[in-house]
Amino acid sequence: MKLLTLVENTYGHTGCIAEHGLSIYIETEKHKLLLDTGQTDALIKNAEVLGIDLSAVDTVILSHGHYDHSGGILPFSERNHHAQIIMQKSATVPHYHGEKYIGIDKKILNLPNVRLIKGDLKLDEELFLFSNITGRRCYPQGNQKLSCIQNGEKIQDDFTHEQCLVITQNQKKWLLSGCAHNGILNILDRYKEVFGNYPDYIISGFHMMKKDGEYSKEEKEIIIQTAKELSTIPAVFYSGHCTGIPAFEMMKEIMGEKLIALHSGEQIL
C-alpha cells in the first residue's frame, strides 16, 4: 500500500505546490485512487514532480462538496477520462461561507463518469464509504458560518454531503476524511457503529483553523477535549489542511507521537 499527500496547505517535497486544499493519492492491491483533488490544478503539477501517473487512477472520492477539495477534478478529468468520481448527491447543492460561494464547479456534473450516491456504499473488499454522521460532540465551531441551499432556501449546513473512505489492506484499516466537518469524534463514533472497533490509522483535517489565529475559550476547550479523547484511541492520526497550525500544535502537546503533520508532496506510507 502507498499513501502520499498530493496537495496540502504546507510545503513538504521540494518542487511541490502547496495550496489551501487537500488531495491524498493512494495505491492498494486493487486500486489507484484519490481522496479529493485540492483547489486548483496543483495536483497535476505535483503528480508530475512525484512521478505519479494520474491516468492510471481508477477512482476519485470527493469527501464533501467544497471547492478546495473538488477544484482539481476538471483538470484531472482532462487527463483521465475513465476514473469513476464518487460523491454524495447532496454535495452538488450550492454551499456558502457567508455570502461567498464555496461549492463545487457545476461543470463537474456534466462529466459522464460522475457517480452520485446517497448514504453508505461498499465498493469492494478494499473500499467502503460511509456518511450519516449525526453526533455533535466537540462540533467544529467554524461550521456556524457555513450554509447551503435546500429547496430554494439558504440554511445551516448539516454536512450530510460529507463522506469518509475506509480502506482495508493487510488486515489494517485506514479511515480517510477531508475536513471532518461533522467532528472527528463523531466520525469515529459512526465508524465504530459500522465496524465495531476503531481504525488503525486516520487521515483527516479537523476543521479547527481560524484565519486570525484567535481562539475563543470555547474553541480552545473543544480542541483540547478532542485531543484528549483522540489520545485514548489506539490509532495513529495524520492531520493538516483545515486543522490549522495553532490548533495542530495544541493537539500535538497532548497527543505526542500519535499525531503527525501532513505536508504537500510527502509520502505517508
Side-chain angles (χ1 to χ4, degrees):
M1 187 169 172
K2 178 179 180 180
L3 292 101
L4 188 147
T5 308
L6 196 53
V7 177
E8 201 267 340
N9 298 35
T10 56
Y11 292 97
H13 188 284
T14 302
C16 283
I17 297 168
E19 68 175 15
H20 179 75
L22 186 67
S23 180
I24 305 294
Y25 173 77
I26 307 135
E27 291 183 9
T28 67
E29 290 182 5
K30 297 180 180 179
H31 297 281
K32 292 182 179 179
L33 62 153
L34 296 174
L35 176 84
D36 295 336
T37 62
Q39 181 181 160
T40 66
D41 64 351
L43 82 163
I44 305 295
K45 298 171 182 176
N46 287 356
E48 291 175 354
V49 171
L50 298 167
I52 294 172
D53 181 8
L54 292 179
S55 69
V57 170
D58 58 79
T59 305
V60 177
I61 306 298
L62 181 64
S63 66
H64 61 294
H66 287 171
Y67 75 103
D68 51 331
H69 296 256
S70 61
I73 289 178
L74 290 175
F76 167 83
S77 296
E78 293 176 2
R79 291 156 177 79
N80 183 318
H81 307 289
H82 62 85
Q84 61 175 337
I85 302 167
I86 305 174
M87 65 185 78
Q88 290 289 317
K89 185 176 181 180
S90 51
T92 67
V93 306
H95 290 91
Y96 292 87
H97 182 280
E99 297 302 314
K100 179 185 177 182
Y101 179 77
I102 60 169
I104 69 172
D105 189 325
K106 294 299 182 180
K107 294 177 184 176
I108 292 171
L109 302 180
N110 296 326
L111 297 173
N113 45 334
V114 167
R115 182 178 179 184
L116 302 179
I117 66 171
K118 186 175 181 180
D120 301 349
L121 176 67
K122 181 178 180 179
L123 291 166
D124 57 26
E125 295 305 312
E126 288 189 344
L127 308 179
F128 186 91
L129 293 168
F130 72 85
S131 54
N132 192 31
I133 304 150
T134 58
R136 288 297 178 261
R137 293 193 300 129
C138 291
Y139 195 61
Q141 296 298 289
N143 288 338
Q144 296 175 7
K145 298 179 180 180
L146 302 178
S147 60
C148 63
I149 302 294
Q150 289 188 13
N151 300 319
E153 294 185 8
K154 184 181 281 191
I155 62 170
Q156 182 80 47
D157 197 340
D158 60 4
F159 296 98
T160 57
H161 57 106
E162 186 169 58
Q163 61 182 356
C164 301
L165 171 65
V166 179
I167 301 173
T168 302
Q169 197 82 172
N170 301 323
Q171 299 182 324
K172 300 289 186 180
K173 281 189 164 54
W174 294 75
L175 169 62
L176 293 90
S177 169
C179 280
H181 280 283
N182 279 296
I184 189 62
L185 296 178
N186 303 307
I187 287 172
L188 286 166
D189 287 344
R190 173 72 175 125
Y191 176 97
K192 200 171 181 181
E193 283 181 12
V194 177
F195 293 97
N197 51 20
Y198 287 114
D200 300 284
Y201 304 94
I202 296 97
I203 301 175
S204 178
F206 295 149
H207 196 59
M208 296 170 174
M209 176 184 286
K210 292 196 75 174
K211 288 185 177 180
D212 59 10
E214 296 293 327
Y215 292 90
S216 67
K217 181 181 178 182
E218 182 181 5
E219 288 168 334
K220 287 182 179 178
E221 288 174 351
I222 288 173
I223 292 168
I224 291 168
Q225 182 60 33
T226 299
K228 286 181 177 179
E229 294 202 35
L230 293 182
S231 67
T232 67
I233 294 172
V236 177
F237 295 81
Y238 296 82
S239 191
H241 177 47
C242 60
T243 301
I245 293 174
F248 182 93
E249 290 176 345
M250 278 188 266
M251 297 180 76
K252 182 73 173 175
E253 286 186 12
I254 297 168
M255 297 177 66
E257 294 181 355
K258 290 175 67 70
L259 180 61
I260 300 169
L262 298 171
H263 301 292
S264 193
E266 286 189 350
Q267 190 160 328
I268 300 168
L269 179 70

